[in-house]
Amino acid sequence: MFNLVLENLPFLLKGALYTLVITIVSMLLGLIIGIITAIARLRGPRPVRWIARAYVSIIRGTPLLVQIVIIYYGLVDYGVTLGSLTAAFIALSVNAGAYLSETFRGAILAVPKGQTEAAFATGMTPWQTMRRIILPQAARIAIPPMGNTFIGMLKETSLVSVIGVSELLRQAQLLQAQFYRYMPFYLAIAVIYWVLSTGLAAILERIERKLNEAY
């Protein structure tokens, strides 16, 4: 069993690389979406707040797998055909954005109101106050829950195997179809996922510690 996994380890590691790339790119896009949505809910006009709230409610209220198949298969009915990797990026980013928006909204609300009042007293505009005063402090507050979302997304990338993306689980499935062995490859990818999750957790913990030292 061990030899079979070892012989095919490069093939599995290629899937792990895909998993990491999908996770990092989707998380970065999700961060942008999340910050914009959080600000929209807190500072936007009423229609914008309503749209942002509806977006968060719909995404958080439906399974990620359903979102993936809607984007990849469902949009074909309307003449929109996306590559599997593109669909994976969109689905994961939109999903992460909804959860991260709530994280950032809570972090922004956690910044004392006196900070905003002090910034206005110095002549800063609302945008300058948000960019220079509120967001840096909110980022420090948001790091721990954001890290949980990051690690959760790493594991949820396995869902995009259903649309043929060559991530870690998909690579294991291809090997299972070739060798008719299941447990060795399932155990191998479980270990790889654990190593990746542990590594990301350590990196995020270090970032959090640096930010705490800076403030």
Side-chain angles (χ1 to χ4, degrees), residues 81-94:
T81 303
L82 299 172
S84 58
L85 192 58
T86 301
F89 283 137
I90 293 173
L92 291 172
S93 300
V94 169

Side-chain angles (χ1 to χ4, degrees), residues 138-178:
R140 180 173 58 86
I141 298 170
I143 284 290
M146 189 175 69
N148 292 333
T149 303
F150 203 155
I151 294 171
M153 174 175 285
L154 173 70
K155 292 177 285 188
E156 288 176 343
T157 56
S158 61
L159 294 175
V160 301
S161 63
V162 301
I163 58 175
V165 177
S166 300
E167 47 70 62
L168 186 54
L169 178 59
R170 178 63 175 170
Q171 296 293 87
Q173 290 170 340
L174 293 174
L175 290 174
Q176 290 161 5
Q178 179 181 351

Side-chain angles (χ1 to χ4, degrees), residues 3-176:
N3 288 337
L4 183 62
V5 171
L6 194 61
E7 290 171 2
N8 293 280
L9 188 58
F11 191 72
L12 291 175
L13 292 179
K14 180 182 176 182
L17 179 61
Y18 258 79
T19 293
L20 271 178
V21 171
I22 293 170
T23 301
I24 293 170
V25 173
S26 299
M27 191 66 179
L28 291 175
L29 293 174
L31 279 172
I32 296 171
I33 295 171
I35 292 172
I36 292 173
T37 303
I39 295 174
R41 290 193 65 180
L42 293 170
R43 301 286 191 269
R46 187 181 298 273
V48 173
R49 292 202 303 269
W50 187 88
I51 292 171
R53 189 178 297 113
Y55 155 66
V56 172
S57 176
I58 291 169
I59 296 300
R60 294 179 70 191
T62 55
L64 175 56
L65 182 58
V66 173
Q67 297 164 20
I68 291 170
V69 296
I70 285 175
I71 291 172
Y72 186 67
Y73 295 110
L75 291 180
V76 174
D77 291 346
Y78 302 95
V80 180
T81 303
L82 299 172
S84 58
L85 192 58
T86 301
F89 283 137
I90 293 173
L92 291 172
S93 300
V94 169
N95 184 271
Y99 286 91
L100 290 172
S101 72
E102 290 299 278
T103 298
F104 278 109
R105 188 169 70 92
I108 290 171
L109 291 173
V111 176
K113 290 184 178 180
Q115 300 279 344
T116 302
E117 295 170 357
F120 287 161
T122 62
M124 287 189 183
T125 64
W127 167 242
Q128 289 174 329
T129 301
M130 179 64 69
R131 181 168 58 88
R132 298 179 182 177
I133 305 299
I134 298 177
L135 285 181
Q137 296 182 69
R140 180 173 58 86
I141 298 170
I143 284 290
M146 189 175 69
N148 292 333
T149 303
F150 203 155
I151 294 171
M153 174 175 285
L154 173 70
K155 292 177 285 188
E156 288 176 343
T157 56
S158 61
L159 294 175
V160 301
S161 63
V162 301
I163 58 175
V165 177
S166 300
E167 47 70 62
L168 186 54
L169 178 59
R170 178 63 175 170
Q171 296 293 87
Q173 290 170 340
L174 293 174
L175 290 174
Q176 290 161 5

